[in-house]
Amino acid sequence: MNGRADALAARPDQWVVRPAAPRKNDRDLRTDPLLRLVCVPYAGGGASVYQRWGHALLPAVEPWALRLPGHDARMAEPLATDLVSVASDAAAALIALGPGPYALFGHSLGAFLAFEIARALRDRWDTEPTFLAIGGRNAPQVGTSGVAMSHLPDDQYLDLLDQRFGAIPRVLREDAQMRALYLPILRADVMMLETYAYRPGKPLSCPILALGGEDDPETSVGSLAAWGAHTTAGCTTVMLPGGHFFLETQREQLLQLLSAELLATLVP
């Protein structure tokens, strides 16, 4: 392992955070979880995206959220645009946390990051997640749709993002301070996605769940099913109601589905 990865692995708390535990009047059964679910955010997203997932997942599953450089509590760090390098460093941090087992979930940009984290764990440390779930993103060999946009002027950039994903908050257009703070993060994340160069490799040995939104033009049943080429353990494809951000609009259904799939990995 190189010195940079060593330094980052020594501080896994930089990379992952456990979302808030259930309320005080709830019984927290995650004192000794059977499985950690590491959740990777979409472009522009942070750990807060997964803040309430612990309330709906199986008690045996403990959700963790990945924090990228320049995001969340790491705002003082430089933003990153090399997806494979970020995934490798994140994998080093997971190894430093200690033995798993781990499962991975990533949405949109996070789908490719989760996939490359899984490959880095296998290639560098001879270990794999027990399960990989991806949402809102075609298999990497299929490619991404749409034109490159991370270099466009601000207003044109936001317009195109809104047309494709429908998720640009109004405050980002109206508040100059918010735009100055958030837009560089969004640009760096989108550049990470646009410059990602998939490298063919041997398939993973963990099952894959590929999720898409029925109204999302970014994906299709066929492009999601193509994730099956990346596993020897089977790939399940599910389309949920909604657009690209079905993980917000259909959160309860998504978490029920994830819980069922994760349970299958826990029960022989």
Side-chain angles (χ1 to χ4, degrees):
M1 190 186 301
N2 61 39
R4 177 166 174 257
D6 277 335
L8 286 163
R11 290 290 309 278
D13 57 299
Q14 288 182 306
W15 283 93
V16 288
V17 60
R18 180 186 177 187
R23 296 181 298 274
K24 290 182 180 180
N25 59 343
D26 291 337
R27 185 184 177 196
D28 186 2
L29 300 179
R30 294 185 175 83
T31 55
D32 188 21
L34 299 178
L35 179 68
R36 290 172 176 167
L37 175 64
V38 179
C39 303
V40 190
Y42 47 77
S48 62
V49 171
Y50 302 107
Q51 186 172 2
R52 295 189 60 80
W53 277 35
H55 295 268
L57 287 168
L58 290 170
V61 177
E62 182 178 69
W64 287 76
L66 194 73
R67 298 191 292 198
L68 303 181
H71 296 59
D72 300 311
R74 305 180 68 184
M75 290 285 287
E77 299 178 34
L79 292 161
T81 57
D82 186 328
L83 189 147
V84 173
S85 177
V86 169
S88 179
D89 290 343
L94 293 183
I95 290 296
L97 277 175
Y102 294 98
L104 290 166
F105 171 84
H107 186 79
S108 199
L109 166 67
F112 283 167
L113 278 168
F115 171 63
E116 289 294 348
I117 289 170
R119 298 215 293 182
L121 288 169
R122 179 196 62 197
D123 295 343
R124 297 179 61 188
W125 289 281
D126 195 29
T127 185
E128 288 192 24
T130 62
F131 184 77
L132 172 63
I134 66 94
R137 184 57 56 194
N138 296 333
Q141 73 275 20
V142 174
T144 58
S145 60
V147 298
M149 55 185 173
S150 58
H151 65 286
L152 295 173
D154 288 356
D155 288 335
Q156 187 178 354
Y157 177 60
L158 292 174
D159 287 343
L160 190 53
L161 276 175
D162 217 10
Q163 290 171 19
R164 288 180 61 179
F165 304 109
I168 300 301
R170 185 174 178 180
V171 67
L172 192 57
R173 296 182 182 274
E174 298 177 348
D175 188 319
Q177 289 184 326
M178 181 64 72
R179 181 183 291 208
L181 176 67
Y182 184 71
L183 200 54
I185 296 173
L186 190 56
R187 282 189 183 277
D189 286 356
V190 173
M191 185 178 294
M192 192 188 305
L193 180 61
E194 291 177 346
T195 58
Y196 169 54
Y198 163 68
R199 303 154 299 136
K202 64 180 181 180
L204 299 167
S205 59
C206 63
I208 293 177
L209 172 65
L211 301 158
E214 293 173 351
D215 301 321
D216 182 8
E218 296 292 311
T219 58
S220 67
V221 173
S223 63
L224 287 169
W227 280 99
H230 298 290
T231 176
T232 60
C235 175
T236 302
T237 302
V238 178
M239 302 299 286
L240 296 172
H244 188 71
F245 287 98
F246 60 84
L247 84 165
E248 302 289 351
T249 61
Q250 303 297 324
R251 183 172 61 183
E252 182 176 348
Q253 183 178 353
L254 168 62
L255 293 180
Q256 289 177 351
L257 178 61
L258 266 179
S259 290
E261 294 289 333
L262 292 170
L263 179 61
T265 71
L266 294 171
V267 179

